[in-house]
Amino acid sequence: MICAGQLLNEFPRIKRAITRYVFAGLFIPLLIKRGRNSDALKTMKELKNTKNSGRLIIVAYRLPFKIVREDDQSHLVQNSGGLVSAVLSLVSDQEDSVFSSEEKIQWIGFSENTKEELEGQSLANESFQAHPVFIPDDVNENYYEGFCNNLVWPLCHYFPSLARFDDAYFEAYKTANQLFFDKLDEVIQPGDVVWVQDYQLMLLPDLIRQKYPDNKIGFFFHIPFPSYELFRMFPVKWRKAIVDGILGADVVGFHTNDYVEYFLKAARLVSGYGNKLHYINMSNRIVKVDSFPISIDFQKFNEAYDEPEVIRAREEARESLKEKIIFSVDRLDYSKGILHRLQGFTRFLEQHPEWHERVSFVMVVVPSRDTIEQYQHMKMEIDQTVGAINANYGNIYWQPIIYQYRSMTYHELVGMYTASDVALITPVRDGMNLVCKEYVASRKDSQGVLILSEMAGAAAELGEALIINPLDNQGIADAISEAFAMIPEEQEKRMSAMRERIRDYDVFAWTNDFFTQMLMLEQEHERLKQVFLTNKGIDNIRKAYEASSKRILFFDYDGTLAPIVADPSKAIVSEDVKKLIMEIAKRDTVVIISGRDRRFLDTHFRDLPVHIIAEHGALIKTKGSEEWTLNESYEENWKDSIKPILNMYAKRCPGAFVEEKETSLAWHYRTADDKEYASRRAQELSWQLKNFIQPELNLQIIDGNKVVEVKKTAFNKGTAARSFVDGSDYDFILAIGDDTTDEDMFEALPDTSYTIKIGDDLSAARNHIKNQEEVFHFLSFMVSTIPE
Ligand code: GDG
């Protein structure tokens, strides 16, 4: 969990956001995750004044309906999946719902029917309007079977040996994403909110952003986002397209914090986007990347316990099966760990003859992708293993495993959930896994034991389950034995705790949580949005300047007083600017505030009556003094442990070099031979430093312009600027800067200050001006009416 102190130190840029939203902001999603569903709804209500003016558009690979034709008419037969109910919950007449029910939810998805079959049909029901996307067979094969299922799926589930790399796959992936976009392009209107689902559509958010910069876009990734070592197996262009494609969204959601971290690392290493507290600054907008553990409709499964069909199914199972029932159900997939489960069960039978003839393991495998060779092979192995176990351990009165290769009806499924003593869920990798949550929700009787793989995203939330490693046969065997021996009171204790958690964070809370983040982001955008100074704005500043009597002005150096040039030693302040500063400094307090070292700043400003702050606030030389003062909280003895790391990166990157300043270390790559390679190394270096240096060192890593800089956190431009204004009575404060480190200054100065950011990056500054050249004109105008 995030601690507030850490936030304030490390993320000064959003410090004001934290203050403003301390309850309504960053902490609310955490409250929602812990609190009750009704709290989540209340939060939405508090955050919104009005309903979203636009409609909700879902884009997912599949449409959530079957299109059934009867008497030349098409009807939508709606699936009862969790996502469908969840999005429906966002739309109602209630004041606190996100969307108005006057508008249907627009759902864009692939259609298995041809265009001709659907020609002229109205594809709508009470709540949804369907917009089928038609993908030619050859494209769909390379796109869906190829890129999605033969490459992304195995890589994301840590089966790189099964991944197939084929240029035609990626081409088809781009074509298909474009086809989804083309359909959306026909449908979208201003104000509509688009929610893109899953790994089949990773390029889509950016396609939308390019043409519709003002529509809100969400993206949710349903499978594991892999660690960088796996992700880097995608060819460079592909991985960049994926990261940039996803980052077209405003809010990007994953199931767990691990997946979020892995994605953030990929965003940094692939496209150079750093993040602060999961916010990525994309220069003209911010993206929020966060975890939203998907859930289920708890009440539906809970109430099903008493439905007659479920009672009948449960009773039949109990009558016809043995004393102890183990149940598992999953799609045929190598990620689900079906064979490992069988091996674990074999070990159990081997070691526990006392349970022979007293246990039935009902294992249902739902047909899936079985046209693919790998899946056919896996199916054969499962068939053979089940056959062998039943042959070796069973007898004419007892079959240890009841194996079904088919799908079950909903009532059969819940009948089995509620009849079984143990749910055995052993994926070797699973984004979340809803089956285990459904099992828990169905157990209104608070009985039954969940054995769950630590590789399922759900394991992070269901700590009361018996957590196993699916590759550890003995671990599975021991867990089964422990489950069979577990007394009802203990079962109840564990099950009740898990049920409460899922009841609180059900699929409705999940969607609410996601949309709360979308709204929060809108407010944050509003705060950070660039307001460029108009003539009127400039004139207002001039008037304020004129009307004041005690003024202080802070100027950053590079990119503010001097232009950014390739060779830093040649970034020289022009004579005109110098003259102007001289003129201002005669009547006002002027502070030059820079990351440069004192020698450089002395050379350029020695003859001016100004205060100088060097090395981001570590060193200060006051006007008229010859002495520099070192910030009192600066502590030495940290560079020796960091310098070798920077040197090693410099050696491995021709042209990069390490600069040792008095109070900081900088790894420069402006002069590197291969800029692209160097920028990748810089990202890796920064990542390594941020993640592996000891927190006790209190160091801050700054990703600057072609430089990675390491300094103490104890001071920054903000603390340095405050030391000038605190306790004084300036009635006009102005600060101008272009760099990320200037944000500390903008944040730290009083709200009445005039803060100006150069360029269009999102900033805490109140105003922006376009470029460095304009600084001179702006300042000249500001002081123009004051007599010398
Ligand atoms: C992906 C991610 C993530 C299964 N067999 C039958 C049946 N089901 C239903 C279950 C459950 C759903 O299918 C399976 O959901 P999972 O989450 O377990 O797995 P994936 O399909 O792989 O889904 C996964 C999920 O997306 C959501 O983000 O959790 O990690 O891989 O609802 O009940 N339903 C019926 N008969 C069956 O035979 N009626």
Side-chain angles (χ1 to χ4, degrees):
M1 262 320 100
I2 304 145
C3 97
Q6 193 186 343
L7 282 179
L8 293 172
N9 286 334
E10 293 187 11
F11 306 102
R13 192 183 180 92
I14 52 168
K15 217 184 293 173
R16 203 186 299 162
I18 294 166
T19 322
R20 185 174 302 178
Y21 300 133
V22 71
F23 291 113
L26 294 162
F27 300 137
I28 275 181
L30 303 178
L31 292 177
I32 295 171
K33 280 173 194 178
R34 289 171 178 168
R36 297 183 57 80
N37 186 7
S38 58
D39 292 341
L41 294 169
K42 204 167 124 229
T43 309
M44 293 294 291
K45 194 170 178 177
E46 281 162 6
L47 274 169
K48 283 178 289 112
N49 298 326
T50 51
K51 279 189 203 310
N52 199 294
S53 57
R55 304 163 303 168
L56 174 60
I57 305 181
I58 306 287
V59 194
Y61 177 67
R62 287 187 195 288
L63 287 169
F65 337 92
K66 282 200 182 67
I67 299 169
V68 177
R69 282 175 64 86
E70 258 171 31
D71 308 328
D72 266 4
Q73 289 294 314
S74 296
H75 306 280
L76 298 186
V77 179
Q78 201 166 299
N79 291 348
S80 55
L83 184 63
V84 174
S85 349
V87 299
L88 276 172
S89 73
L90 293 168
V91 180
S92 84
D93 295 330
Q94 304 292 312
E95 211 183 282
D96 58 1
S97 74
V98 188
F99 298 91
S100 151
S101 63
E102 279 167 26
E103 297 279 7
K104 290 185 170 53
I105 299 170
Q106 312 292 306
W107 195 303
I108 295 172
F110 168 63
S111 162
E112 282 169 9
N113 302 71
T114 64
K115 208 178 208 160
E116 292 70 36
E117 283 171 331
L118 301 180
E119 197 76 72
Q121 308 293 330
S122 151
L123 299 174
N125 64 13
E126 216 179 50
S127 320
F128 290 98
Q129 173 74 52
H131 302 274
V133 177
F134 303 101
I135 306 176
D137 288 348
D138 54 334
V139 175
N140 203 34
E141 194 165 325
N142 280 324
Y143 157 61
Y144 186 66
E145 301 297 337
F147 195 83
C148 295
N149 291 342
N150 280 341
L151 175 57
V152 181
W153 182 271
L155 268 194
C156 289
H157 286 88
Y158 292 69
F159 284 89
S161 58
L162 299 183
R164 302 274 169 273
F165 295 81
D166 186 335
D167 289 342
Y169 284 0
F170 188 57
E171 284 312 308
Y173 190 70
K174 286 194 287 187
T175 308
N177 273 254
Q178 184 66 44
L179 289 171
F180 278 90
F181 175 75
D182 294 343
K183 180 54 72 181
L184 177 83
D185 203 10
E186 293 169 16
V187 173
I188 193 167
Q189 294 169 8
D192 286 349
V193 178
V194 188
W195 198 11
V196 180
Q197 305 290 325
D198 225 356
Y199 66 102
Q200 298 91 351
L201 296 168
M202 294 185 282
L203 309 183
L204 186 60
D206 191 50
L207 290 173
I208 306 170
R209 176 69 57 203
Q210 295 304 326
K211 186 155 178 194
Y212 298 100
D214 297 330
N215 284 75
K216 273 185 241 140
I217 306 166
F219 178 78
F220 195 83
F221 198 78
H222 288 261
I223 63 175
F225 194 89
S227 84
Y228 190 65
E229 285 315 305
L230 268 291
F231 188 69
R232 76 191 315 173
M233 293 183 83
F234 284 112
V236 175
K237 275 192 186 147
W238 301 11
R239 63 176 107 128
K240 183 149 173 44
I242 290 172
V243 165
D244 293 349
I246 290 175
L247 287 177
D250 295 294
V251 174
V252 176
F254 296 92
H255 290 308
T256 69
N257 289 332
D258 284 349
Y259 308 156
V260 170
E261 291 304 328
Y262 298 152
F263 177 76
L264 289 173
K265 181 167 183 180
R268 168 179 292 284
L269 298 186
V270 171
S271 295
Y273 295 121
N275 78 88
K276 287 176 179 171
L277 230 198
H278 298 184
Y279 285 96
I280 296 183
N281 188 338
M282 307 279 292
S283 148
N284 59 352
R285 61 192 182 88
I286 41 179
V287 180
K288 179 78 196 281
V289 181
D290 209 347
S291 65
F292 304 88
I294 199 172
S295 195
I296 54 159
D297 183 344
F298 178 89
Q299 289 309 344
K300 179 178 139 192
F301 282 92
N302 184 47
E303 281 156 20
Y305 190 89
D306 297 319
E307 283 171 23
E309 293 98 321
V310 170
I311 296 173
R312 204 171 312 123
R314 177 163 65 236
E315 283 171 357
E316 262 178 43
R318 286 201 180 138
E319 269 161 32
S320 55
L321 298 168
K322 296 290 177 189
E323 178 189 334
K324 289 284 183 193
I325 303 170
I326 303 175
F327 177 56
S328 77
V329 56
D330 11 42
R331 279 185 305 103
L332 178 69
D333 199 281
Y334 43 82
S335 67
K336 300 288 180 186
I338 300 172
L339 282 162
H340 297 92
R341 187 180 309 158
L342 290 172
Q343 282 154 11
F345 184 62
T346 309
R347 181 72 63 90
F348 171 79
L349 292 177
E350 224 173 74
Q351 294 178 345
H352 294 278
E354 73 278 16
W355 282 108
H356 289 194
E357 299 184 41
R358 295 167 61 202
V359 55
S360 300
F361 176 12
V362 178
M363 187 175 91
V364 179
V365 176
V366 180
S368 171
R369 304 180 192 170
D370 52 9
T371 52
I372 300 178
E373 205 186 310
Q374 282 154 9
Y375 285 74
Q376 288 167 352
H377 184 75
M378 187 181 22
K379 160 89 172 34
M380 225 166 61
E381 264 190 277
I382 295 170
D383 292 355
Q384 282 167 1
T385 312
V386 171
I389 296 171
N390 280 344
N392 293 341
Y393 292 94
N395 57 40
I396 46 173
Y397 310 107
W398 173 55
Q399 256 202 92
I401 304 179
I402 319 281
Y403 167 47
Q404 301 280 288
Y405 185 65
R406 65 172 176 94
S407 62
M408 310 170 83
T409 65
Y410 170 71
H411 292 116
E412 269 181 318
L413 179 76
V414 187
M416 277 314 301
Y417 282 152
T418 53
S420 52
D421 300 280
V422 173
L424 185 55
I425 300 174
T426 60
V428 282
R429 216 38 91 159
D430 212 335
M432 173 54 72
N433 191 293
L434 295 179
V435 169
C436 59
K437 292 192 171 181
E438 290 167 4
Y439 176 67
V440 169
S442 313
R443 297 312 298 245
K444 199 175 180 184
D445 58 347
S446 290
Q447 288 297 294
V449 180
L450 172 63
I451 299 179
L452 178 61
S453 160
E454 61 180 310
M455 308 295 181
E461 292 171 83
L462 299 175
E464 293 80 3
L466 298 181
I467 303 287
I468 48 97
N469 177 329
L471 308 173
D472 174 10
N473 296 340
Q474 189 59 49
I476 296 179
D478 290 345
I480 297 174
S481 160
E482 189 183 340
F484 284 0
M486 196 181 285
I487 54 169
E489 292 76 15
E490 177 68 12
Q491 292 183 34
E492 179 169 0
K493 196 171 116 204
R494 289 170 181 253
M495 190 55 88
S496 307
M498 293 191 283
R499 282 169 59 76
E500 197 168 323
R501 212 165 298 128
I502 296 174
R503 180 188 288 122
D504 285 350
Y505 196 80
D506 62 7
V507 74
F508 308 110
W510 174 73
T511 30
N512 269 291
D513 194 357
F514 194 90
F515 278 82
T516 302
Q517 293 285 344
M518 296 268 259
L519 288 170
M520 297 292 312
L521 199 72
E522 199 181 349
Q523 297 186 14
E524 185 62 1
H525 265 144
E526 193 55 32
R527 187 183 79 81
L528 294 176
K529 81 173 177 212
Q530 313 94 321
V531 179
F532 280 92
L533 273 175
T534 55
N535 289 343
K536 190 163 173 247
I538 294 173
D539 200 42
N540 286 341
I541 297 179
R542 184 192 60 75
K543 283 184 190 142
Y545 179 81
E546 201 178 67
S548 54
S549 55
K550 190 166 180 202
R551 302 175 279 246
I552 184 165
L553 299 92
F554 295 90
F555 299 126
D556 165 47
Y557 183 74
D558 293 279
T560 302
L561 296 182
I564 296 275
V565 290
D567 179 354
S569 65
K570 302 215 168 72
I572 310 291
V573 59
S574 74
E575 278 311 309
D576 282 348
V577 171
K578 242 177 154 173
K579 244 168 73 189
L580 182 62
I581 290 177
M582 175 70 106
E583 195 186 305
I584 299 173
K586 277 187 206 153
R587 55 176 171 261
D588 303 327
T589 303
V590 172
V591 187
I592 307 296
I593 184 163
S594 170
R596 293 271 192 163
D597 63 26
R598 60 167 146 173
R599 207 168 322 116
F600 181 91
L601 295 170
D602 254 342
T603 316
H604 292 283
F605 295 101
R606 177 178 291 133
D607 47 347
L608 294 185
V610 296
H611 301 283
I612 311 176
I613 296 173
E615 302 199 11
H616 307 290
L619 291 154
I620 298 184
K621 187 167 111 169
T622 50
K623 186 168 85 175
S625 157
E626 282 301 308
E627 297 298 312
W628 284 86
T629 318
L630 184 67
N631 187 300
E632 58 191 22
S633 44
Y634 180 73
E635 294 158 25
E636 260 302 344
N637 301 332
W638 60 272
K639 285 186 190 156
D640 289 350
S641 57
I642 303 296
K643 212 160 48 177
I645 306 174
L646 301 196
N647 283 336
M648 189 183 73
Y649 270 79
K651 267 191 211 133
R652 293 188 343 210
C653 182
F657 66 94
V658 177
E659 179 192 7
E660 179 166 354
K661 301 189 198 176
E662 270 168 86
T663 62
S664 71
L665 289 169
W667 191 84
H668 291 275
Y669 61 101
R670 200 183 288 266
T671 42
D673 302 347
D674 179 342
K675 298 276 185 303
E676 211 181 307
Y677 172 77
S679 115
R680 278 210 298 276
R681 304 300 312 189
Q683 285 149 19
E684 275 172 32
L685 169 64
S686 164
W687 181 268
Q688 190 182 345
L689 291 171
K690 281 178 186 159
N691 286 280
F692 299 111
I693 51 181
Q694 301 121 287
E696 311 84 80
L697 287 176
N698 291 320
L699 295 177
Q700 183 188 359
I701 318 301
I702 303 171
D703 299 302
N705 191 353
K706 302 274 187 297
V707 60
V708 176
E709 192 155 1
V710 189
K711 62 176 265 296
K712 281 276 179 185
T713 43
F715 49 84
N716 57 39
K717 286 188 176 183
T719 55
R722 283 305 294 230
S723 71
F724 278 85
V725 296
D726 281 350
S728 62
D729 54 354
Y730 292 108
D731 56 358
F732 179 91
I733 302 173
L734 176 119
I736 312 185
D738 74 313
D739 204 358
T740 44
T741 55
D742 294 316
E743 294 299 314
D744 294 328
M745 171 169 70
F746 299 146
E747 298 274 5
L749 288 173
D751 280 350
T752 47
S753 312
Y754 295 94
T755 47
I756 301 177
K757 168 89 176 174
I758 298 167
D760 62 2
D761 275 8
L762 290 178
S763 168
R766 284 172 69 186
N767 288 111
H768 288 242
I769 56 179
K770 282 214 177 63
N771 48 44
Q772 187 265 330
E773 290 89 68
E774 281 189 17
V775 174
F776 176 72
H777 303 297
F778 164 72
L779 290 177
S780 308
F781 178 74
M782 184 179 80
V783 301
S784 59
T785 52
I786 298 260
E788 292 238 343

